[in-house]
Amino acid sequence: MQERMLRCLDEIMMKQDHHYVLAVSHGNASYQFLKKVDPDALENITGFGNCQVMHFKYENHSFKLIEII
């Protein structure tokens, strides 16, 4: 699941004029994506549910968590 999400979101971000993207997913899938792209960010997270809003920076095919809102 982690690889599929990463591949899909990377493809979306590589399209022209895709500077800001809203992607929606279930809590567990979002957690797995974060675990894949920025595992250090999980150190301060105690729970992860649906409708979790995460802000990422995307650069050079890499996602970095900025904040959880």
Side-chain angles (χ1 to χ4, degrees):
M1 175 179 21
Q2 291 175 343
E3 288 297 328
R4 284 193 320 255
M5 289 184 69
L6 179 58
R7 187 171 46 250
C8 177
L9 290 170
D10 189 51
E11 287 176 14
I12 291 169
M13 293 306 297
M14 291 303 298
K15 293 182 180 184
Q16 284 188 350
D17 298 326
H18 279 65
H19 303 288
Y20 300 97
V21 173
L22 173 65
V24 180
S25 185
H26 293 282
N28 186 45
S30 297
Y31 176 85
Q32 292 300 320
F33 176 73
L34 180 58
K35 185 176 178 182
K36 174 71 175 171
V37 300
D38 196 357
D40 293 337
L42 295 173
E43 291 177 12
N44 299 322
I45 297 174
T46 56
F48 214 86
N50 290 330
C51 300
Q52 192 74 50
V53 178
M54 298 181 290
H55 175 198
F56 288 92
K57 178 179 182 179
Y58 178 80
E59 189 172 65
N60 298 322
H61 298 278
S62 180
F63 292 89
K64 180 72 176 170
L65 180 69
I66 302 298
E67 65 181 327
I68 297 178
I69 303 168

